[in-house]
Amino acid sequence: MKMFEKIDDYRWLIPQSYKKGMRVPGLIYANESMLKDIAGDQSPEQVANVAFLPGIVKYSLAMPDIHLGYGFPIGGVAATRLSDGVISPGGVGFDINCGVRLLRTNLNYDQVYPKIKELMDSLYKNVPSGLGSQGRIRLKKNEIEDVMANGSRWAVKNGYGTSGDLETTEENGQMAGANPDNVSVRAKERGAPQIGTLGSGNHFIEVAVVDRIFEPEIAKGMGITQTNQVMLLIHCGSRGLGHQIAGDYTKEMANAMSKYGIYVPDRQLACCPIDSPEGRAYLSAMRCAANFAWANRQCIAHWARESFCEALGMGEGEIGLTGVYDVSHNIAKMEKHIVDGKQETLCVHRKGATRAFPAGHPDLPAKYQKIGQPVLIPGDMGTFSYILTGTEKGMRETFGSVCHGAGRAKSRAAAKQSIRGKAVMAELAKRGIVIRAGSISALAEEAPESYKDVTEVVEVVQNAGISKIIARTRPLGVVKG
Amino acid sequence: MVSPKTSRHVQSRLFVLCCTIALGMKRFELFEHTADTGFIAYGRTLAEAFSNAALAMFSVMADLDEFGKKETVTVEVCENDLEILLVEWLNSLLFYFDTQGIVFTEFNVISISKNCLKAECRGEKYNPNRHSLKLGVKSATYHMLKVDTVNNTVRVILDI
């Protein structure tokens, strides 16, 4: 493993000298045994390739859930200077603002589990999911533009949820600087029928219970008060709209790069200066997709509330299904960070990495000023999900970013071969977890064995000091797309 | 764009999941790529390799035996080079799937010249009561993309 220099038990450096053209070193957060697995594929090479991006500062970073992506690794973070840096659609990914929303309830395990099958049936019925599914919402002509400009605010204005939901959403569910004119007709046509749909792949809705609280005071500030408290997780993104925008602008930048004298070792890293017509247009379109994704999770949260009422025969007030937080893990954002002792505005690309701001950060809502931002790390269908917060150290070291999930350990093909969907279902049923899924074969691909151990992943970011573990949940029921 | 090391790495991990035989010739092979799926598609001509690339992509998405050929769509794409043309050809088919629900089963790339492609595609609209789908494809990517005009072979990684 001569590619890596050990800094400490959780930090591994890829020196700038590793590959000619790297502008900064690579830095991977992992323990020694994880690093052996990581070194087994091309993902460290991808970390090195990201270090080629013009204007990149400090490090090309990788979180412990790193796995092989296309161009950028999944679990990668790259910050570029506004003055001379680039923006890369590949550094955000195709599912723009794929993210997680966590909601809490007033209910405990005993009040919900006897009706878990009815609850999962209700969620499966009320939230359109799966490949090829169309939404329940029929947008009026040009209303897609309203969704893209106003995000969650559009949803709340149209009766999907409450204004309280906005406070517990990153950017209040509406990112400024989103101009629908920069979004192609194709992207709008793909997105319009898909608003309010879960999608497929690794997207899910999970009913969970609090399994353990590590930091009771901080957890309380998030509305998490006891073990066995019932929670809800929603994981999805911007659907075909984001996919099309990412494709449109990757192509545009692949064509335009040479004009700016930019060379990258993989065309999927195509990029343009942040302050260029292509860069500005992409950022604006990306924000449109981000807003669509927040509106999407907002609609789904609303139907989840209806489903709880329907299945449990209780009122909304009694259930108390309210937002803890909603945070993206595929996005690029302009943020202020300290570089060489000076504050600079950077474009922070997070691809399969979660923003994790500490207490006192001005971008956080009042209720999280004292405890820091809730960071939501879903595990897989069979294990825990974690709630973390950001730290000052993370702010300095990783631009306030941590991991986003367990990370894949096996390729989809290998997973599918060795684990059959029905066997996965039976194994989870044995553990009392109720699954509703459109496609059994897709279920096989998302089986717990396909992923790394999420506990090991979050322990690395905690031990490295860039995050703090607050609580964890375990699943009772899952709707898979 | 792709280092010889990367190329060898992928080829050594070639994982043949499916190959349809047509006139004794392999049309495509799928290979694993951690979170994603890739394929190499072959042809006697470049047009045929592009047709088989589309077939490979839809075979990842659905069991194509379940779908007929009731719908016909003509696709025309022009780009700056053959690599971008390949990606945009595949992405334009995903657009029809997302907006009209068409699962294509037959592809006839009529011509590829001056980085322009014209094709006639046949398929059937997805009906959840009769059909099942496998994996969603978000997009074709530029990662490790290859268009070999000598051997009429193309390589694509799909974002799943």
Side-chain angles (χ1 to χ4, degrees):
Chain A
M1 271 191 278
K2 58 179 189 228
M3 179 176 188
F4 306 105
E5 282 174 16
K6 183 174 178 175
I7 298 175
D8 60 28
D9 288 346
Y10 305 104
R11 288 174 182 78
W12 307 82
L13 191 83
I14 303 174
Q16 201 179 329
S17 57
Y18 170 72
K19 209 168 175 180
K20 195 168 179 287
M22 287 173 70
R23 294 165 193 263
V24 291
L27 181 58
I28 298 177
Y29 289 81
N31 63 31
E32 193 152 5
S33 78
M34 290 169 117
L35 189 77
K36 279 185 189 145
D37 287 336
I38 293 166
D41 67 24
Q42 292 288 310
S43 52
E45 198 69 29
Q46 295 185 331
V47 175
N49 288 347
V50 170
F52 278 62
L53 295 182
I56 186 169
V57 298
K58 290 190 182 174
Y59 298 102
S60 162
L61 295 162
M63 294 298 146
D65 49 342
I66 180 181
H67 60 85
L68 193 64
Y70 38 88
F72 273 68
I74 313 297
V77 180
T80 50
R81 269 185 306 264
L82 185 57
S83 51
D84 63 342
V86 292
I87 170 89
S88 172
V92 171
F94 283 95
D95 198 0
I96 296 167
N97 191 6
C98 184
V100 181
R101 179 176 293 216
L102 175 70
L103 300 100
R104 46 81 67 204
T105 70
N106 297 331
L107 309 176
N108 63 36
Y109 175 89
D110 295 330
Q111 290 169 286
V112 174
Y113 196 69
K115 289 191 172 168
I116 190 69
K117 286 189 175 148
E118 290 86 341
L119 178 56
M120 300 321 293
D121 285 339
S122 265
L123 286 165
Y124 189 64
K125 180 189 79 182
N126 291 334
V127 181
S129 66
L131 189 57
S133 59
Q134 299 275 306
R136 296 166 57 180
I137 301 170
R138 294 282 167 264
L139 295 177
K140 293 189 282 287
K141 196 171 183 283
N142 299 332
E143 197 178 358
I144 184 74
E145 312 219 337
D146 196 3
V147 177
M148 292 191 288
N150 298 307
S152 292
R153 278 179 206 279
W154 166 85
V156 170
K157 197 178 79 187
N158 284 278
Y160 303 103
T162 66
S163 57
D165 294 332
L166 303 178
E167 198 204 347
T168 51
T169 304
E170 180 181 5
E171 301 279 346
N172 296 316
Q174 181 194 25
M175 213 170 172
N179 182 356
D181 292 347
N182 291 312
V183 176
S184 68
V185 173
R186 278 203 162 184
K188 290 171 190 169
E189 282 181 25
R190 272 179 89 171
Q194 294 182 335
I195 184 75
T197 63
L198 189 65
S200 61
N202 60 357
H203 296 152
F204 64 79
I205 303 173
E206 179 180 302
V207 176
V209 284
V210 175
D211 177 77
R212 194 170 160 190
I213 298 176
F214 298 85
E215 297 285 343
E217 275 311 302
I218 297 174
K220 206 171 142 193
M222 298 179 184
I224 302 166
T225 53
Q226 52 170 328
T227 52
N228 276 334
Q229 183 178 353
V230 172
M231 310 290 284
L232 181 80
L233 281 137
I234 299 166
H235 176 219
C236 62
S238 54
R239 312 285 282 109
L241 178 80
H243 309 165
Q244 186 70 40
I245 289 171
D248 288 345
Y249 280 97
T250 303
K251 181 183 93 173
E252 189 169 334
M253 292 195 184
N255 280 324
M257 260 194 314
S258 60
K259 180 171 83 182
Y260 297 106
I262 298 170
Y263 166 77
V264 286
D266 182 331
R267 224 170 174 181
Q268 192 60 42
L269 295 171
C271 54
C272 279
I274 298 166
D275 193 16
S276 67
E278 296 85 356
R280 286 191 295 270
Y282 168 69
L283 272 168
S284 161
M286 181 211 74
R287 289 166 185 150
C288 288
N291 289 341
F292 180 98
W294 277 312
N296 198 23
R297 292 197 284 275
Q298 182 62 42
C299 295
I300 292 171
H302 172 73
W303 292 323
R305 285 189 181 118
E306 290 185 347
S307 303
F308 269 74
C309 293
E310 194 178 284
L312 305 178
M314 294 181 192
E316 264 194 31
E318 195 181 352
I319 294 165
L321 190 59
T322 52
V324 173
Y325 206 58
D326 178 313
V327 64
S328 171
H329 51 231
N330 276 5
I331 202 159
K333 296 186 76 172
M334 296 299 181
E335 295 170 1
K336 290 187 168 66
H337 291 277
I338 306 292
V339 183
D340 299 329
K342 277 187 291 189
Q343 194 181 66
E344 271 202 72
T345 299
L346 303 175
C347 178
V348 184
H349 299 70
R350 296 189 179 94
K351 185 181 187 179
T354 314
R355 191 189 75 170
F357 283 170
H361 194 285
D363 288 355
L364 296 184
K367 69 182 289 192
Y368 295 132
Q369 277 299 325
K370 280 199 179 136
I371 57 176
Q373 176 211 313
V375 179
L376 314 172
I377 311 297
D380 51 71
M381 285 191 291
T383 58
F384 305 117
S385 293
Y386 281 85
I387 299 137
L388 321 176
T389 54
T391 65
E392 281 297 337
K393 191 173 191 180
M395 205 60 198
R396 289 193 302 273
E397 245 182 68
T398 60
F399 312 103
S401 315
V402 295
C403 52
H404 85 307
R408 279 195 173 266
K410 271 187 193 177
S411 79
R412 287 178 198 265
K416 204 175 163 190
Q417 276 234 322
S418 58
I419 315 154
R420 303 298 306 165
K422 278 181 187 159
V424 171
M425 200 118 159
E427 175 57 30
L428 293 170
K430 225 191 307 175
R431 286 147 70 181
I433 302 168
V434 178
I435 308 288
R436 295 287 177 268
S439 160
I440 297 290
S441 72
L443 193 63
E445 317 244 348
E446 299 299 323
E449 289 81 355
S450 311
Y451 287 90
K452 296 183 195 181
D453 178 0
V454 67
T455 299
E456 205 178 348
V457 168
V458 296
E459 279 174 358
V460 167
V461 292
Q462 169 156 283
N463 292 340
I466 59 172
S467 198
K468 194 171 187 179
I469 300 172
I470 307 304
R472 77 177 179 206
T473 65
R474 65 182 166 83
L476 300 180
V478 184
V479 173
K480 289 293 297 182
Chain B
M1 286 296 175
V2 177
S3 72
K5 190 180 161 195
T6 314
S7 171
R8 273 203 308 278
H9 167 77
V10 167
Q11 278 165 14
S12 70
R13 293 177 72 185
L14 252 184
F15 191 76
V16 182
L17 282 178
C18 174
C19 52
T20 314
I21 306 299
L23 302 170
M25 190 183 173
K26 217 183 282 175
R27 297 174 78 177
F28 63 86
E29 291 174 296
L30 301 181
F31 62 85
E32 58 179 293
H33 187 261
T34 310
D36 304 305
T37 295
F39 61 81
I40 296 175
Y42 308 94
R44 284 162 299 189
T45 61
L46 191 62
E48 195 174 77
F50 272 53
S51 293
N52 288 337
L55 186 70
M57 182 173 77
F58 276 90
S59 78
V60 169
M61 297 166 68
D63 185 350
L64 299 186
D65 293 342
E66 293 180 9
F67 291 83
K69 296 167 188 172
K70 290 174 199 162
E71 308 282 337
T72 303
V73 171
T74 304
V75 178
E76 289 183 63
V77 193
C78 281
E79 297 296 345
N80 283 349
D81 62 49
L82 285 173
E83 285 191 353
I84 297 179
L85 186 68
L86 175 59
V87 167
E88 285 300 307
W89 150 239
L90 296 174
N91 286 349
S92 65
L93 298 172
L94 291 177
F95 171 78
Y96 284 104
F97 173 72
D98 258 10
T99 53
Q100 295 177 31
I102 304 175
V103 171
F104 292 107
T105 54
E106 193 180 283
F107 308 88
N108 178 21
V109 175
I110 300 157
S111 64
I112 298 179
S113 76
K114 292 181 181 159
N115 301 327
C116 283
L117 167 154
K118 190 174 175 186
E120 211 170 73
C121 310
R122 291 195 176 81
E124 186 181 349
K125 284 194 180 180
Y126 166 64
N127 176 345
N129 299 322
R130 288 196 293 120
H131 300 132
S132 54
L133 293 171
K134 294 197 288 193
L135 282 180
V137 174
K138 293 175 192 162
S139 184
T141 76
Y142 293 91
H143 180 51
M144 292 169 50
L145 185 67
K146 200 172 174 185
V147 177
D148 179 344
T149 52
V150 177
N151 298 306
N152 297 320
T153 300
V154 301
R155 180 179 64 198
V156 179
I157 306 254
L158 301 170
D159 184 12
I160 300 290

